[in-house]
Amino acid sequence: MQTLQSFLQEKVQDEQLQSVLVTLSESVKAISERISTAETCKAGTNNEYGEEQMALDILADKLIQEECEKNEQIGLIASEEQPDEIWLGDGDFAVSYDPLDGSSLIDVNLAVGTIFGVYDLKLRSDANQDKSFVGLKGDDLEVSMIAVYGPRTTIVLAIDGEVNEFTLGEDEFYLSKSELKVGEGKMFSPGNLRACSENLKYLDLVTFWIRSEYTLRYSGGMVPDVNQILLKGKGIFSYPPYSKYPDGKLRLIFECAPMAFLMEKAGGAASDGYKRILEKTYEKIDQRTPIYIGSKEEVDRCSKYLI
Ligand code: AHM
Ligand code: MG
């Protein structure tokens, strides 16, 4: 069985990038261990968006930042749990992360995940003199990676035009599924169904999926839901806007762009209904966007029904 480390040595020419990915996988190991043992009480503080943070969100955020600080190749980080991006030094790599997505699912022991986006700032034509995520877009991503903490801890990594799954063994990640491909198939994860109360086009779309006998698979966590589409090779995850979230709930930098990168590399698509998620320039750190992600035909169907 191939380890993640040997896979990276084989596939990634740039040793600096290799070391960044090892750093991120080490933080996933640490989070995985803490999730299975840590207390799940609420931390009692609010994050930048006024949402209550769970103790584990804070812990995961801290663990990733500490790992990144140890790696001098990483010059810039931004976390969904922190208000500002953080400049760490002269390293060429910028890493965005949602440390623990779906944290409201922790106390009921459903799967949660981490989302990473990795950018190589030296490849930017303007050398990104401001050292900021603002001005970048998903198409600038070098690598994206999600971790799913479920019955097993897995990583799905998009690198070098391939998407592969790795599973955590005793102390190492091993390649468990190679070259994931997303085609067509009847499975749906309809997020934010509340929007149907005011958006009859979304109600029509969901009704189409129901009447066409699609299989419902919705966990309440974007990472396990999109991970399922990648692993089953079919399906659609939707999260439209509505009055409470006029731009949608999910964040472009931390959640949607890295997910869209994984999905496109696996042969699927991701759109906000008008354009590819990866084409959207980051205007601010906490930017939100609607998202329709999964099989190409389903993403097209979303645009046709909703626009
Ligand atoms: P979080 O970043 O606060 O955890 O929120 C993101 C999560 C996604 O994983 C999921 O798709 C969505 O929120 C579900 O939200 P809701 O149940 O409010 O519709
Ligand atoms: Mg999140």
Side-chain angles (χ1 to χ4, degrees):
M1 276 196 298
Q2 186 167 30
T3 63
L4 176 62
Q5 199 122 2
S6 78
F7 176 90
L8 293 175
Q9 280 160 6
E10 207 175 277
K11 296 275 181 191
V12 185
Q13 309 278 311
D14 182 341
E15 287 182 8
Q16 298 180 341
L17 177 57
Q18 259 185 49
S19 93
V20 171
L21 297 174
V22 169
T23 289
L24 303 185
S25 71
E26 288 303 314
S27 67
V28 170
K29 283 185 199 167
I31 295 168
S32 174
E33 197 188 317
R34 296 303 187 91
I35 284 179
S36 52
T37 54
E39 58 173 298
T40 55
C41 67
K42 293 184 173 156
T45 56
N46 285 344
N47 70 5
E48 181 58 4
Y49 314 102
E51 298 156 336
E52 197 166 27
Q53 288 179 297
M54 311 286 286
L56 273 169
D57 293 31
I58 297 166
L59 197 60
D61 186 41
K62 190 165 159 280
L63 286 168
I64 297 172
Q65 183 169 340
E66 282 170 3
E67 285 295 331
C68 289
E69 282 169 351
K70 286 189 229 158
N71 188 327
E72 59 184 22
Q73 311 303 337
I74 301 174
L76 181 69
I77 55 174
S79 163
E80 188 182 284
E81 295 299 339
Q82 297 197 41
D84 300 308
E85 44 196 339
I86 301 170
W87 188 73
L88 293 183
D90 294 330
D92 285 326
F93 290 91
V95 179
S96 69
Y97 48 93
D98 182 352
L100 216 46
D101 184 67
S103 51
S104 66
L105 305 172
I106 291 170
D107 57 349
V108 291
N109 205 18
L110 280 164
V112 291
T114 302
I115 309 169
F116 296 103
V118 180
Y119 304 77
D120 185 346
L121 299 179
K122 71 179 175 302
L123 297 181
R124 303 249 315 150
S125 50
D126 58 3
N128 201 352
Q129 284 161 354
D130 296 339
K131 271 237 166 123
S132 172
F133 287 88
V134 175
L136 299 177
K137 52 180 181 305
D139 274 330
D140 294 319
L141 277 158
E142 194 63 21
V143 176
S144 85
M145 179 166 123
I146 53 174
V148 184
Y149 312 99
R152 296 175 291 128
T153 293
T154 55
I155 275 176
V156 175
L157 176 68
I159 195 164
D160 197 27
E162 280 179 23
V163 183
N164 294 292
E165 183 204 52
F166 298 83
T167 298
L168 185 59
E170 283 288 300
D171 192 38
E172 286 263 28
F173 282 97
Y174 293 93
L175 182 61
S176 41
K177 283 212 175 100
S178 307
E179 300 196 39
L180 304 180
K181 296 274 180 262
V182 173
E184 302 302 321
K186 293 183 173 183
M187 191 174 79
F188 73 135
S189 304
N192 198 19
L193 285 179
R194 309 166 196 92
C196 290
S197 67
E198 55 189 48
N199 181 348
L200 296 183
K201 293 176 176 177
Y202 190 45
L203 180 60
D204 281 349
L205 175 59
V206 173
T207 305
F208 168 84
W209 286 326
I210 295 169
R211 289 218 165 115
S212 308
E213 300 183 3
Y214 280 48
T215 300
L216 173 66
R217 288 288 180 267
Y218 185 76
S219 75
M222 186 196 197
V223 179
D225 286 340
V226 174
N227 182 68
Q228 179 165 224
I229 296 171
L230 290 163
L231 270 293
K232 298 281 189 198
K234 62 178 183 186
I236 179 76
F237 171 91
S238 52
Y239 207 104
Y242 82 130
S243 47
K244 187 174 169 200
Y245 297 120
D247 297 318
K249 176 186 180 188
L250 302 171
R251 285 109 189 163
L252 179 59
I253 295 182
F254 302 110
E255 293 158 328
C256 297
M259 290 299 212
F261 186 84
L262 275 167
M263 191 57 72
E264 284 203 5
K265 295 293 175 202
S271 164
D272 66 358
Y274 295 90
K275 61 186 337 194
R276 287 168 62 240
I277 292 287
L278 297 179
E279 282 170 12
K280 292 176 73 123
T281 302
Y282 308 155
E283 284 156 15
K284 54 180 186 168
I285 287 291
D286 60 352
Q287 190 170 340
R288 297 175 192 254
T289 179
I291 185 166
Y292 310 97
I293 178 167
S295 302
K296 275 184 179 161
E297 281 181 19
E298 295 303 333
V299 173
D300 283 350
R301 191 188 320 282
C302 292
S303 300
K304 285 190 192 115
Y305 267 76
L306 298 173
I307 305 307

